Amino acid sequence: MSDVLLSVRDMVVDFPTRHGLLRAVDHVSFDLSRGEVLGLVGESGAGKSITGAAIIGLIEPPGHISGGTVHLDGSRIDNLGMEEMRRIRGKRVGMVFQDPLTSLNPLYTIAKQLIQTIRTHLDLTEKQARARAIGLLEEVGIPAADKRIDDYPHQFSGGMRQRVVIALALCAGPELIIADEPTTALDVSVQSQIIDVLKRMCAEHGTAVILITHDMGVIAEAADRVAVLYSGRIAEIGPVREVIKQAKHPYTKGLMRSIPTLTQTNDRLTQIPGTMPRITDRPEGCAFAPRCGHVMDICRSQQPATRSVGNCEVACHLETEGGAS
Amino acid sequence: MIAFVIRRIIQSIIVIMVVGLVAFVMFRFVGDPVNQMVGLETSIADRELLREQLGLNQPLIVQYWHFISNAAQGDFGTSYQYRRPVSEILGERLPATLELALVSAIFAIAAGIPMGVYTALYRDSVLSNIFLTVSLIGISLPSFLVGILLIFIFSVHLQWLPSFGRGEVVDLGWWSTGLLTATGLKAIILPAITLGLFQMTLIMRLVRSEMMEVLRTDFVKFAKARGLKTRVVHFGHALKNTMIPVITITGLQFGSIIAFAIITETVFQWPGSGLLFLQAVQNVDVPIMAAYLLMIAFLFVLINLIVDVLYVVVDPRIRLEGS
Ligand SMILES: Nc1ncnc2c1ncn2[C@@H]1O[C@H](COP(=O)(O)OP(=O)(O)OP(=O)(O)O)[C@@H](O)[C@H]1O
Ligand SMILES: [Mg+2]
């Protein structure tokens, strides 16, 4: 058993559209160790959700993975058949979606949804599955779990529902959870609670997490490493501390400056000028070049390769050229 | 829940009273009831006597009240054509109509739901396209044409099924059924298809669009992401969530099936209440017309009520709010 749980190499996801191929994810590579929390950040449309969906094999046709590989614990999973992939989903890779209000089937009690999921993957009796479900609900912090389990989703608050969703994602004991903006739809006051629950549950069960979010605060609090996605490509990936303190890619720097911090005295946050190019008209060369303050000639013609700089990997010509930071 | 049902029942009664008013106006003012009942040689004095006996000189509101309270007790007066109580005649004809409507509805549901699910799940398959084309025909062809077409193919050409009548009927005392004899079963096939085709198409298209909608929802995606079996996701999670609109439409359509049975019953000479109504119209047999109108209204209201209660059974959100 190697230490690397998930290995994504040069993954490409395309959507055929009327206006030609739309490349939502463009040669994305990263590794994830057991129990590690990897943050995935980027602007809306950067390809975060599609990256997550591609790993778990849930890209909606006609979209498809058209290049690269995904290995889970050493065995390749991106080319599996539908039925084999289904067995992996929930059992080895779980998923948490953004909106807890719509993630649960309104017509079934949460007991039914939990027990159904547990018994799909584990060889347990109805009774054993129910006991396991109640245990999980207690772990995620649902009070009086043995009674609340027979309630319907609409009888829970948003925060409580997201706890139920986390319990559902974890109920067959997966090695990896992909959490796609698990707190975006929630009240600010419960956001950090939910992140805490997710973090604690995954630490206790040794589950690795890919945490997709817009919120660098969440990343700083919960993630071990962070990957910054820009227009379908990884701009920079590295340990959270390093990326936050000494970002190397100009886009990441801009992103970090736009985080509100308690110590910051000026009340205006810096914005990165311009907008991310639509993936249909991504420029030749570096996708960030049109917005970059340090743009060089080579940036407009040639895509930067990914280089290791310290513990980070950066895709920027400034690093290759040894240019100023 | 109980309060909800009581409220709905009161609303239903109001609806029936209004329809009753329409029926009463028709009964009272379409032609002169006295003229309908007496011969040409009856004297004016006798006519006035009859008018007095029938209560036609009383204030309209009193007459309306008599009409409604008699109707509530199943007394709709005497048919001009048959010279027998309308309720008796209607009672003889109703089983034929209800059986036809029931078999049509079962056909529409049993064929419409699976076809709708199939066309939603396999959008681009050849069979889906065939279903959709057939459904277009079902929606656009008037039912008398469908009936005549079916008669032409299966009765005239292939000679497999009878083209008219109800076959042999077993009398159960209060109910006469054609569903217990071979000829009765054979006779109901073509009319039931004719009557149910439109509803089948409607249900199929409804299930299809609802199903496609539900398949896009987050909870279906989450169910898939949890690795539930495809069959469970499609039928346990998705289909069940399409049932509310399907129950509504199917329920309401059952009323239309009974009402539209008039045409099918005419094409197939089916001895039901629709055929009776049509003959009543031709002969200006107003008591039968009024009674039929009230009966259809009553059925519609009853079906509405049942549909509302079924919602509560299907959807826990409504069920729990009420308690
Ligand atoms: N079904 C689809 N068909 C065509 N294009 C799609 C489809 N789904 C996503 N895309 C495109 O892929 C790109 C990446 O989408 P994705 O949902 O991964 O963004 P994201 O980073 O998760 O953004 P957000 O923060 O808004 O969730 C988007 O530009 C989007 O237009
Ligand atoms: Mg997203």
Side-chain angles (χ1 to χ4, degrees):
Chain A
M1 216 156 65
S2 72
D3 198 40
V4 175
L5 174 66
L6 181 79
S7 172
V8 179
R9 284 282 157 271
D10 290 317
M11 187 168 72
V12 179
V13 178
D14 286 328
F15 285 92
T17 66
R18 249 170 279 143
H19 313 290
L21 267 195
L22 201 143
R23 183 151 290 184
V25 176
D26 190 6
H27 292 93
V28 162
S29 304
F30 60 85
D31 285 338
L32 188 66
S33 309
R34 284 177 188 286
E36 187 182 30
V37 180
L38 173 73
L40 206 56
V41 293
E43 283 167 66
S44 192
K48 306 181 295 291
S49 299
I50 300 294
T51 304
I55 292 167
I56 201 169
L58 282 180
I59 299 282
E60 276 175 33
H64 58 276
I65 302 183
S66 46
T69 56
V70 180
H71 285 85
L72 182 69
D73 204 10
S75 46
R76 192 165 168 188
I77 60 166
D78 58 297
N79 56 357
L80 293 181
M82 286 227 298
E83 181 58 19
E84 287 166 287
M85 198 62 215
R86 180 188 70 73
R87 284 175 208 277
I88 288 181
R89 272 182 229 130
K91 172 88 175 110
R92 301 190 58 196
V93 184
M95 185 125 196
V96 173
F97 288 103
Q98 176 172 345
D99 192 349
L101 300 184
T102 56
S103 288
L104 299 168
N105 189 336
L107 300 187
Y108 292 134
T109 62
I110 60 169
K112 162 127 191 181
Q113 303 189 43
L114 276 159
I115 292 170
Q116 189 177 49
T117 312
I118 292 171
R119 295 195 66 194
T120 301
H121 298 295
L122 306 176
D123 193 16
L124 295 180
T125 64
E126 179 87 13
K127 221 173 174 178
Q128 290 167 322
R130 190 179 163 91
R132 185 186 171 95
I134 293 175
L136 274 157
L137 289 180
E138 279 165 358
E139 276 187 70
V140 296
I142 307 263
D146 57 329
K147 296 206 176 54
R148 298 301 312 268
I149 190 168
D150 291 311
D151 283 350
Y152 288 91
H154 72 272
Q155 292 168 290
F156 291 86
S157 69
M160 284 295 157
R161 273 192 237 187
Q162 197 64 313
R163 289 171 198 255
V164 173
V165 168
I166 291 171
L168 267 167
L170 281 168
C171 67
E175 298 144 86
L176 169 66
I177 289 275
I178 300 170
D180 192 349
E181 310 200 26
T183 57
T184 311
L186 294 174
D187 208 309
V188 189
S189 57
V190 294
Q191 283 185 357
S192 69
Q193 288 174 17
I194 293 299
I195 291 294
D196 282 348
V197 170
L198 189 65
K199 216 177 129 180
R200 183 171 49 76
M201 290 292 287
C202 292
E204 279 167 15
H205 294 252
T207 313
V209 183
I210 295 179
L211 180 58
I212 299 173
T213 176
H214 285 118
D215 187 346
M216 279 306 296
V218 167
I219 295 287
E221 187 192 338
D224 303 312
R225 286 195 308 143
V226 59
V228 179
L229 223 54
Y230 187 81
S231 187
R233 296 170 190 160
I234 291 191
E236 182 162 2
I237 178 169
V240 167
R241 259 165 212 286
E242 272 176 59
V243 174
I244 289 183
K245 292 250 167 63
Q246 312 142 26
K248 294 174 188 70
H249 197 286
Y251 174 64
T252 320
K253 284 181 195 163
L255 207 61
M256 296 308 148
R257 272 199 297 275
S258 64
I259 313 172
T261 61
L262 290 173
T263 49
Q264 214 163 14
T265 43
N266 57 332
D267 48 16
R268 287 193 67 201
L269 295 175
T270 336
Q271 261 194 338
I272 309 172
T275 54
M276 189 171 71
R278 297 175 53 95
I279 39 182
T280 36
D281 40 39
R282 196 182 279 147
E284 219 180 304
C286 177
F288 188 57
R291 298 167 75 186
C292 183
H294 306 278
V295 63
M296 302 178 291
D297 285 342
I298 187 172
C299 301
R300 300 192 206 279
S301 57
Q302 212 178 318
Q303 229 187 83
T306 309
R307 307 267 152 170
S308 292
V309 183
N311 291 321
C312 301
E313 283 177 45
V314 186
C316 178
H317 285 301
L318 289 170
E319 295 300 329
T320 16
E321 303 290 298
S325 64
Chain B
M1 173 73 198
I2 300 222
F4 165 79
V5 172
I6 290 173
R7 203 163 57 233
R8 295 291 292 110
I9 288 177
I10 293 173
Q11 285 168 0
S12 309
I13 290 173
I14 296 174
V15 171
I16 294 280
M17 298 286 276
V18 172
V19 176
L21 184 65
V22 175
F24 167 71
V25 168
M26 194 168 83
F27 183 76
R28 180 65 185 76
F29 298 107
V30 175
D32 182 354
V34 174
N35 278 347
Q36 301 282 354
M37 295 173 100
V38 298
L40 276 174
E41 65 283 4
T42 316
S43 70
I44 307 249
D46 283 347
R47 282 173 194 242
E48 279 311 314
L49 194 66
L50 189 60
R51 197 174 291 278
E52 194 73 41
Q53 279 170 356
L54 287 174
L56 294 177
N57 291 333
Q58 287 171 316
L60 278 180
I61 185 83
V62 177
Q63 291 186 38
Y64 171 60
W65 177 248
H66 279 303
F67 176 80
I68 287 285
S69 55
N70 284 343
Q73 292 159 30
D75 178 5
F76 295 98
T78 308
S79 158
Y80 302 157
Q81 299 171 80
Y82 301 97
R83 313 238 165 238
R84 283 170 54 207
V86 171
S87 51
E88 218 177 280
I89 304 171
L90 216 52
E92 288 165 13
R93 297 297 198 102
L94 205 55
T97 298
L98 287 181
E99 271 180 9
L100 177 60
L102 195 71
V103 174
S104 302
I106 291 171
F107 157 72
I109 293 168
I113 292 181
M115 281 164 81
V117 171
Y118 184 88
T119 50
L121 293 180
Y122 308 99
R123 248 165 282 174
D124 303 319
S125 82
V126 179
L127 195 56
S128 289
N129 284 314
I130 293 174
F131 283 167
L132 287 173
T133 314
V134 170
S135 81
L136 213 61
I137 297 172
I139 275 190
S140 45
L141 279 190
S143 65
F144 71 88
L145 210 61
V146 173
I148 291 170
L149 233 84
L150 288 177
I151 289 177
F152 180 73
I153 297 171
F154 293 100
S155 304
V156 179
H157 214 70
L158 297 171
Q159 304 206 331
W160 287 352
L161 299 167
S163 63
F164 67 90
R166 209 183 160 199
E168 280 171 78
V169 174
V170 178
D171 206 340
L172 303 176
W174 51 277
W175 189 272
S176 66
T177 178
L179 299 180
L180 294 177
T181 61
T183 52
L185 286 174
K186 267 175 121 177
I188 206 169
I189 294 176
L190 291 187
I193 292 178
T194 307
L195 186 55
L197 189 66
F198 180 80
Q199 271 72 22
M200 182 205 84
T201 326
L202 207 69
I203 290 173
M204 172 189 139
R205 293 193 160 244
L206 182 75
V207 169
R208 176 184 139 89
S209 67
E210 287 294 325
M211 188 80 179
M212 292 197 325
E213 187 88 25
V214 172
L215 286 175
R216 274 198 294 271
T217 59
D218 285 352
F219 67 80
V220 166
K221 282 187 200 149
F222 188 42
K224 273 190 204 158
R226 296 202 302 275
L228 299 185
K229 298 203 173 79
T230 314
R231 185 174 40 83
V232 173
V233 174
H234 288 164
F235 296 97
H237 288 262
L239 184 61
K240 192 166 179 198
N241 273 278
T242 66
M243 279 303 118
I244 288 210
V246 172
I247 287 174
T248 317
I249 299 292
T250 314
L252 299 184
Q253 285 299 315
F254 191 67
S256 316
I257 287 183
I258 293 174
F260 277 117
I262 295 177
I263 297 167
T264 308
E265 286 181 7
T266 311
V267 172
F268 288 94
Q269 288 299 299
W270 188 262
S273 55
L275 195 60
L276 179 73
F277 174 74
L278 214 69
Q279 287 160 353
V281 171
Q282 283 159 359
N283 298 316
V284 204
D285 194 344
V286 178
I288 287 186
M289 286 158 69
Y292 182 81
L293 195 67
L294 266 177
M295 182 191 80
I296 293 288
F298 178 74
L299 282 172
F300 262 90
V301 165
L302 187 71
I303 289 163
N304 254 310
L305 200 66
I306 294 172
V307 167
D308 281 349
V309 172
L310 273 184
Y311 274 179
V312 180
V313 176
V314 171
D315 196 332
R317 284 165 297 189
I318 307 174
R319 181 161 73 230
L320 292 158
E321 257 157 46
S323 67

